[in-house]
Amino acid sequence: MRIAVVGATGEVGNAMIRVLNERGLVNDDLVLLASKKSVGKKLKVDSREFTVKELTSEILRTGFDYVLFSAGASVSREFAPVAAAAGAVVIDNSSAFRMDPAIPLVVPEINGALLKDYSGIVANPNCSTIQMVLSLYRVHRRFGIKTIVVSTYQAVSGAGRKGLNELFAQERGSEGTRIFADRIHRNVVPQIGDFLESGFTTEELKMINETRKILNDPEISIWPTTVRVPVLYGHSESIFVETKRPFTIDSLKDELGRCEDVVLTNQLITPRQVAGDDLTYVSRVRSLDNTHFLIWNVADNIRVGAATNAVRILQKHRELNS
Ligand code: 2RA
């Protein structure tokens, strides 16, 4: 099987390579692609060493089974169709194709069946969306979700290596490059992405639109506030849900606990505990009636929220089409 990773030197691209390797999917045919400035960089993967090559249409036409993209929406818009036209299944971590009605937006545990007999581009959802829908999909199936109110506490790695470097710089006392709307050291910033006319941000709109597409329910009313916090890895979310049909706390916990790749726990779970992990942790389950509840979830945003979900898409596609 021949795989390429586009954006191989970035935070998510690097994680994609690690997860591929952990799952025995790295072989000598792996090709690492990036922009001109990264060409020639060496990446070691266990005993193997790979040299980063320049991303070009020509190289994408050399016959890949899967091409994983994490290099930004403009790169995906230009090159993902080239790779798909050459016969590869493209798994794109950018926002470029997520809301295209012809392109599946996939969290394999929820709607992986869309990958059966499918070839072309598959969109990987936004990290803050993935951990939320992984926590709620069974509740939606059994009780129907009417309304979600979610506040996120998103790690600086969500902004890639530059986000991490910003926090490190400010912790050392320097201004940093000010990539966030305000200083992030010992602060929280209630803006991720750009502000829209509505007063919501692009990140919040992603959570609204992507959740409806993945759960296949355009009626769900979703009210997000996405916040950047001075954490390195691991997004946390406080989620309030109103259901259409009544539940008991036991039946609610039963559904939450049955979600695939989700751990329901009474422990207090924080981002420090989940960095490097591939599971989504749900805790603080509580309710005062039988149609409203609150939960807290935490997941590694670079793995669960991007790289691992992308590799799970690859594995699910292989499973359904081999
Ligand atoms: C962030 N979800 O956390 C966005 C993009 N990864 O910055």
Side-chain angles (χ1 to χ4, degrees):
M1 183 175 62
R2 197 161 177 255
I3 299 172
V5 175
V6 177
T9 56
E11 199 63 24
V12 171
N14 244 269
M16 285 173 165
I17 298 163
R18 280 199 305 277
V19 175
L20 285 167
N21 190 45
E22 289 162 9
R23 296 169 179 232
L25 296 170
V26 168
N27 57 36
D28 292 336
D29 292 335
L30 177 68
V31 173
L32 305 183
L33 300 170
S35 63
K36 247 194 191 63
K37 68 179 177 14
S38 298
V39 169
K41 280 185 183 172
K42 307 277 187 198
L43 272 78
K44 276 189 75 59
V45 186
D46 288 345
S47 58
R48 294 185 172 99
E49 184 173 80
F50 296 91
T51 303
V52 177
K53 298 176 179 168
E54 184 180 359
L55 171 64
T56 63
S57 295
E58 291 67 32
I59 206 162
L60 290 175
R61 294 189 180 110
T62 58
F64 291 103
D65 299 292
Y66 294 94
V67 181
L68 281 66
F69 275 76
S70 189
S74 57
V75 169
S76 292
R77 269 192 283 273
E78 180 179 356
F79 289 101
V82 173
V89 171
V90 174
I91 301 167
D92 178 33
N93 188 49
S94 83
S95 57
F97 305 100
R98 288 177 183 155
M99 298 319 295
D100 182 329
I103 289 181
L105 179 65
V106 176
V107 177
E109 297 87 338
I110 302 172
N111 60 358
L114 294 174
L115 299 168
K116 177 78 177 146
D117 302 327
Y118 180 81
S119 188
I121 298 170
V122 182
N124 207 37
N126 188 38
C127 43
S128 48
T129 303
I130 291 174
Q131 66 188 76
M132 183 164 83
V133 293
L134 271 173
S135 307
L136 296 178
Y137 74 95
R138 288 188 63 101
V139 169
H140 184 54
R141 286 176 185 168
R142 180 162 174 189
F143 304 112
I145 291 179
K146 191 173 177 186
T147 304
I148 296 172
V149 178
V150 52
S151 296
T152 72
Y153 307 77
Q154 298 181 223
V156 294
S157 55
R161 198 142 299 159
K162 62 183 187 310
L164 291 160
N165 291 337
E166 179 79 348
L167 181 54
F168 294 147
Q170 290 179 12
E171 285 175 335
R172 288 194 304 270
S174 91
E175 264 300 285
T177 50
R178 301 305 295 268
I179 62 166
F180 300 121
D182 193 357
R183 293 176 60 76
I184 192 59
H185 178 44
R186 295 183 184 172
N187 199 6
V188 294
V189 178
Q191 178 189 354
I192 297 178
D194 299 323
F195 277 112
L196 302 164
E197 273 294 298
S198 61
F200 285 84
T201 62
T202 47
E203 182 81 357
E204 288 156 357
L205 201 63
K206 287 174 187 174
M207 292 193 80
I208 295 168
N209 293 334
E210 293 176 21
T211 299
R212 289 173 172 164
K213 183 170 177 180
I214 295 162
L215 297 182
N216 196 23
D217 184 345
E219 301 304 316
I220 302 180
S221 176
I222 303 168
W223 302 90
T225 303
T226 56
V227 181
R228 188 72 69 194
V229 294
V231 166
L232 298 184
Y233 295 95
H235 288 351
S236 306
E237 296 177 341
S238 172
I239 306 174
F240 169 82
V241 175
E242 178 182 20
T243 61
K244 293 176 183 171
R245 297 180 290 276
F247 57 80
T248 63
I249 196 69
D250 288 344
S251 61
L252 172 65
K253 288 182 175 178
D254 183 51
E255 292 305 333
L256 291 168
R258 288 170 185 263
C259 290
E260 194 179 349
D261 294 322
V262 170
V263 174
L264 175 65
T265 174
N266 293 324
Q267 305 298 313
L268 266 187
I269 301 296
T270 66
R272 280 183 181 276
Q273 298 164 18
V274 304
D277 194 320
D278 286 333
L279 299 174
T280 295
Y281 292 82
V282 172
S283 61
R284 302 291 327 275
V285 182
R286 55 206 192 282
S287 176
L288 295 173
D289 60 26
N290 61 6
T291 52
H292 302 84
F293 68 90
L294 279 158
I295 60 170
W296 174 262
N297 80 13
V298 188
D300 181 320
N301 56 298
I302 297 295
R303 290 180 68 106
V304 171
T308 305
N309 194 74
V311 176
R312 281 173 174 154
I313 289 172
L314 185 157
Q315 291 184 292
K316 176 62 86 175
H317 185 272
R318 284 186 82 198
E319 173 199 320
L320 294 177
N321 296 285
S322 53

